[in-house]
Amino acid sequence: MNTANESSGSRLSNWLKQSLFIKISSIGLIIFLLMIPNALIKELIHERNHNQRSVIGEVSAKWGKEQKIVGPVLTIPFKSHYEDDDGKIFETIKYSHFLPEQLNIEGEINPENRKRGIYNVMLYQALITCQGWFKQPDFEKFGIDKELILMDKAFLQVSIPDMAGINDKITIMYDNQSYQMEPGIDKMNGFHSGVKIPIAINTESENLNFNFDLNLNGSNSLTFGPIGKETIVNLNSNWGSPSFMGSFLPDEHAISKNGFTASWKILDLNRNYPQSWIDEKQNLLQSAFGLELMQPVDEYAKNLRSSKYALLVISLTFMLFFFFEVINRQKVHPMHYILVGLAISIFYILLLSLSEHIGFNKAYMISSLAIIGLIGSYSTTILETKLLAIILASILTAIFGFIFIILQLEDFALLAGSIGLLLVLASVMYFSRNINWSKVGRSNNEIQLE
């Protein structure tokens, strides 16, 4: 009785050890469990990226945040009367707003890369010259009597979102007179900070000319509102990686490693607000345009993209070990699979930590060579032959190289990846075409008994 039980237990034990289904299932389970540390690594990448953004926000707040320049806008108050239900007449003050007929902006952007700890923060100093002219305000179209217009209360205002970035006093030449801008804006829809100055309007002048300079610190982006009936903007910089943004792309631009130039020409017909209005809310930023100073390489984005291929790398590596088991008839213990899978997971941690200091490309090369060397040397003992270990290391080198190429080909990553997977599948089918899977895992005695 005991002998029969021992014989049944021995057969069950041998079946579990030799069953192809059990082997593949155990490998699949190990791959599934290895996705847990991979998920933690992705979370670590997000955390480091968040830390970087926090540092960028802290430094930018002290230097100057994103600057969105809108102005100048000419604002003229006037008296308005209304009658309540009891027939009483009340007087109130309303505001009329006029935009320039011509607005020309010339800007030189000087980037400055600041380092806080291991993080780089892209900042800039913008030297901007604005000039143009207003035509004489026309109140007849609004049906406002001249005696109600408070010409002596008129003022010019320019919206500057981050006043901390202003480096010099702002002096404006208006109608051949010099004015010193003061902080604070009033009655300019949708804006909360900027500069203004009371002005005297010469009603005998057909055109009211203006000219002023801005010396601003900012970070990340610089945009402008196209408030002129015709707005012309010319920008130049020695930064070689601009990203043009907003409602309009440049009409002309040139980009090189030494910098860029860009120019825009925008008409009032290209935007959806008028040249003048009374008290109504107008979103003068809805057609804003400009540029963003992009970092040429986002290390965390590449790390995150790389970690998404962890399942593919682990699966292909385990498939290699499995085929070596079948071809060499050398059993590989599940513990060996686990250790090799953990080595691949450590690759992504090593890649992340190194890329923060030496850049992604160098970090990828060093990390991949370290892990390939580790797995290759470890496989010499597992597979009991140096030839298979060398073959394994060579194929791993090709896999890591293929993943690196995909990471560089952002626009063609899907195409290259799908073609690569097709070639991998074709190779597996070719080299496994003569394997008799029904006899894999069975002992020679079992085969001979047949």
Side-chain angles (χ1 to χ4, degrees):
M1 184 73 175
N2 292 336
T3 303
N5 289 338
E6 290 177 1
S7 178
S8 299
S10 177
R11 285 197 298 271
L12 178 61
S13 177
N14 290 334
W15 179 78
L16 290 175
K17 291 179 181 179
Q18 298 174 4
S19 171
L20 180 63
F21 174 78
I22 295 297
K23 184 69 176 182
I24 295 177
S25 298
S26 63
I27 292 174
L29 178 60
I30 293 171
I31 293 175
F32 174 77
L33 293 176
L34 287 172
M35 290 299 100
I36 297 176
N38 182 254
L40 296 176
I41 292 170
K42 289 181 180 178
E43 185 64 28
L44 178 61
I45 295 173
H46 285 296
E47 179 183 340
R48 302 294 288 184
N49 192 17
H50 176 73
N51 291 342
Q52 182 193 44
R53 294 182 183 277
S54 297
V55 170
I56 291 175
E58 180 183 346
V59 175
S60 299
K62 297 177 180 179
W63 174 269
K65 299 179 181 178
E66 297 179 352
Q67 298 289 13
K68 301 177 181 179
I69 310 302
V70 179
V73 176
L74 174 60
T75 300
I76 303 175
F78 63 93
K79 296 178 182 179
S80 177
H81 300 90
Y82 68 94
E83 183 178 348
D84 66 3
D85 295 336
D86 297 328
K88 294 182 179 180
I89 304 298
F90 292 90
E91 182 179 275
T92 185
I93 301 297
K94 291 187 177 182
Y95 293 85
S96 57
H97 306 279
F98 300 88
L99 301 182
E101 292 295 297
Q102 183 70 39
L103 176 61
N104 298 324
I105 298 175
E106 299 286 335
E108 178 183 343
I109 303 171
N110 300 312
E112 189 166 336
N113 199 346
R114 293 289 181 92
K115 195 172 182 65
R116 171 72 67 86
I118 62 174
Y119 301 112
N120 291 318
V121 182
M122 179 52 58
L123 308 171
Y124 65 80
Q125 181 185 34
L127 304 176
I128 301 169
T129 297
C130 300
Q131 60 181 358
W133 55 275
F134 293 90
K135 71 177 182 180
Q136 192 67 230
D138 180 13
F139 287 90
E140 291 185 3
K141 67 177 181 180
F142 298 130
I144 301 172
D145 295 333
K146 289 185 178 181
E147 57 270 14
L148 298 177
I149 302 169
L150 303 176
M151 283 293 189
D152 58 331
K153 303 293 184 181
F155 56 92
L156 280 176
Q157 49 191 346
V158 179
S159 172
I160 302 175
D162 190 359
M163 302 283 283
I166 299 176
N167 290 320
D168 292 328
K169 293 181 179 180
I170 302 175
T171 301
I172 183 169
M173 292 293 298
Y174 175 77
D175 196 24
N176 298 320
Q177 296 187 53
S178 177
Y179 297 89
Q180 197 78 36
M181 285 287 199
E182 301 172 353
I185 59 176
D186 187 27
K187 302 299 180 183
M188 191 167 174
N189 306 134
F191 302 101
H192 306 287
S193 64
V195 293
K196 69 176 182 179
I197 188 65
I199 58 168
I201 296 181
N202 184 357
T203 56
E204 296 180 358
S205 297
E206 183 178 353
N207 298 329
L208 306 173
N209 301 309
F210 64 85
N211 186 348
F212 64 94
D213 295 330
L214 293 175
N215 185 343
L216 293 177
N217 289 338
S219 59
N220 190 46
S221 67
L222 175 64
T223 54
F224 302 91
I227 63 170
K229 196 175 187 68
E230 180 181 77
T231 302
I232 297 176
V233 177
N234 296 304
L235 300 178
N236 69 86
S237 174
N238 58 5
W239 181 249
S241 300
S243 175
F244 300 113
M245 58 184 293
S247 299
F248 305 99
L249 293 176
D251 298 313
E252 296 180 1
H253 71 278
I255 302 174
S256 69
K257 63 180 181 179
N258 297 322
F260 74 89
T261 59
S263 61
W264 292 259
K265 180 180 178 181
I266 302 165
L267 304 177
D268 60 335
L269 297 174
N270 302 134
R271 51 173 171 78
N272 192 31
Y273 50 84
Q275 282 296 109
S276 59
W277 67 94
I278 294 177
D279 276 351
E280 301 172 357
K281 290 187 177 296
Q282 302 292 340
N283 184 3
L284 302 184
L285 275 177
Q286 66 177 335
S287 301
F289 64 95
L291 59 92
E292 184 177 4
L293 299 183
M294 297 289 292
Q295 291 279 11
V297 178
D298 188 342
E299 309 297 346
Y300 295 107
K302 285 195 172 184
N303 270 278
L304 187 60
R305 288 183 61 208
S306 177
S307 66
K308 293 179 180 179
Y309 292 98
L311 176 61
L312 175 63
V313 176
I314 293 175
S315 300
L316 291 177
T317 304
F318 282 12
M319 184 179 66
L320 288 173
F321 274 101
F322 177 73
F323 272 103
F324 288 156
E325 278 194 74
V326 173
I327 295 172
N328 200 39
R329 297 196 176 185
Q330 176 65 42
K331 295 296 180 182
V332 178
H333 195 274
M335 193 62 192
H336 294 149
Y337 281 97
I338 293 174
L339 291 176
V340 170
L342 289 175
I344 296 175
S345 297
I346 290 176
F347 162 78
Y348 296 100
I349 299 178
L350 189 61
L351 175 62
L352 173 62
S353 59
L354 287 176
S355 64
E356 290 182 330
H357 298 276
I358 63 175
F360 182 83
N361 292 350
K362 291 181 180 178
Y364 192 96
M365 181 181 68
I366 294 174
S367 302
S368 58
L369 290 177
I371 298 305
I372 291 170
L374 177 63
I375 295 176
S377 59
Y378 184 61
S379 301
T380 303
T381 303
I382 299 175
L383 303 176
E384 297 183 352
T385 169
K386 289 185 177 180
L387 178 60
L388 289 180
I390 293 173
I391 294 174
L392 175 65
S394 300
I395 297 177
L396 283 178
T397 302
I399 292 173
F400 278 99
F402 174 66
I403 298 298
F404 180 78
I405 292 174
I406 291 179
L407 293 174
Q408 306 305 310
L409 302 175
E410 294 188 8
D411 295 334
F412 300 96
L414 180 60
L415 177 62
S418 58
I419 293 175
L421 289 176
L422 177 63
L423 294 176
V424 169
L425 179 60
S427 300
V428 171
M429 295 173 68
Y430 177 78
F431 288 108
S432 64
R433 68 190 187 282
N434 294 323
I435 296 177
N436 189 343
W437 294 104
S438 62
K439 296 181 179 180
V440 172
R442 298 168 62 182
S443 64
N444 290 333
N445 290 335
E446 290 177 316
I447 296 174
Q448 288 174 1
L449 288 174
E450 293 181 352

